[in-house]
Amino acid sequence: MTDENTHFGFQSVPLGEKQGKVNEVFRSVASRYDLMNDLMSAGLHRLWKDALVSTLRPPRDRPFRHLDVAGGTGDVAFRILDAGGPQTHVTVLDINGEMLKVGAERAGHRYEGRIDFVEANAEELPFEPKTFDAYTIAFGIRNVPRIDRALREAHRVLKPGGRFLCLEFSKVDVPVLDRIYDAYSFNVIPKLGQMVTGDAESYQYLVESIRRFPTPVAFARMIEEAGFRRVTHRALTAGVVAIHSGWKI
């Protein structure tokens, strides 16, 4: 694979084409994205996101400015706002406008003045350096064409002492369970996608993209190379997902 190519699932595609292909995947599934998450994970994605926010621990007694990237539907942002105090503000950033529309509709007037939605690219964040107290990205980093660039941008926009947290699918590390998980992923999830959204191909891509993602150790190295320190990762549900953490020091 050359520097001008990247992965789109198991395919090799020109780097400049990946973002458009990813955008089309999420345009296709936006309206039923959360329903599909429930069906695919048997509801576990809710517990994983709860664990992410518990790890973040947004303060209840002081201003806290947070950036949630690839969080269009608001799932993580709403949890952070509920957990934090009245001075917590979350900016939800997503490259896909359809996903952001879903999130804005779900938010309604519930978090008036405490949330905003921005359509932009994780590789080129439209914010000044040292703007945010924390940054989260849940199940989104593997869809970024240049992950290293997105990590550097995360580091740039965080204040000193700011925290980076990433929730992402990982590597199942339990014998036998890993084969069951593979069989379920490749044989069941695309069929669920076809039944619920009429789109099996998008979910085939999502499954393949999970398998192409770096191991937790390799991803931790990438986070460190972006400038973060005290980098750790914690496996959940036998390694199906992991929470990655790093600090800007």
Side-chain angles (χ1 to χ4, degrees):
M1 179 170 297
T2 69
D3 290 341
E4 290 74 33
N5 286 340
T6 190
H7 297 292
F8 179 74
F10 289 163
Q11 303 175 45
S12 174
V13 299
L15 187 58
E17 292 182 10
K18 178 171 180 174
Q19 193 63 69
K21 288 179 176 291
V22 170
N23 290 352
E24 186 54 41
V25 166
F26 287 96
R27 266 194 296 272
S28 172
V29 304
S31 64
R32 297 193 176 183
Y33 184 68
D34 289 318
L35 171 61
M36 274 301 299
N37 281 343
D38 279 329
L39 292 173
M40 289 189 302
S41 71
L44 285 172
H45 78 102
R46 297 175 183 273
L47 298 179
W48 297 332
K49 291 168 184 171
D50 287 345
L52 178 70
V53 176
S54 294
T55 303
L56 177 67
R57 293 196 300 273
R60 300 191 63 84
D61 58 352
R62 60 179 172 84
F64 184 74
R65 190 166 181 194
H66 185 84
L67 177 63
D68 183 46
V69 174
T73 62
D75 247 16
V76 171
F78 303 155
R79 284 171 166 81
I80 292 169
L81 289 166
D82 290 339
Q87 298 180 83
T88 297
H89 183 280
V90 178
T91 296
V92 180
L93 182 140
D94 204 298
I95 200 168
N96 192 291
E98 294 302 314
M99 298 287 278
L100 289 167
K101 286 179 186 176
V102 172
E105 288 171 3
R106 289 180 64 194
H109 299 291
R110 190 167 28 144
Y111 302 107
E112 198 75 54
R114 298 178 63 208
I115 190 170
D116 61 319
F117 295 85
V118 175
E119 185 173 347
N121 192 326
E123 297 178 5
E124 298 178 34
L125 298 175
F127 309 112
E128 294 297 317
K130 305 177 184 177
T131 297
F132 296 96
D133 296 290
Y135 172 120
T136 50
I137 182 166
F139 304 121
I141 196 77
R142 73 183 190 280
N143 297 312
V144 176
R146 302 173 183 87
I147 293 175
D148 57 342
R149 188 174 295 185
L151 292 173
R152 289 196 300 271
E153 278 290 272
H155 189 272
R156 181 183 67 81
V157 301
L158 281 171
K159 300 174 184 177
R163 191 174 194 183
F164 167 85
L165 285 171
C166 173
L167 174 64
E168 189 52 86
F169 287 104
S170 191
K171 308 292 182 184
V172 175
D173 55 7
V174 177
V176 180
L177 180 60
D178 56 352
R179 294 197 295 274
I180 294 172
Y181 178 58
D182 269 354
Y184 172 76
S185 297
F186 286 99
N187 296 314
V188 177
I189 288 178
K191 291 177 182 175
L192 276 175
Q194 181 64 42
M195 290 169 56
V196 176
T197 70
D199 182 356
E201 289 186 4
S202 290
Y203 286 93
Q204 182 71 28
Y205 157 72
L206 292 173
V207 170
E208 292 176 0
S209 69
I210 293 168
R211 298 307 183 275
R212 298 294 327 190
F213 193 68
T215 65
V217 171
F219 186 51
R221 193 177 307 117
M222 294 176 70
I223 296 170
E224 289 177 340
E225 289 171 353
F228 290 100
R229 297 296 176 260
R230 294 166 56 193
V231 174
T232 61
H233 60 271
R234 175 164 62 101
L236 304 176
T237 317
V240 173
V241 301
I243 294 177
H244 301 265
S245 171
W247 295 84
K248 181 174 179 177
I249 296 175

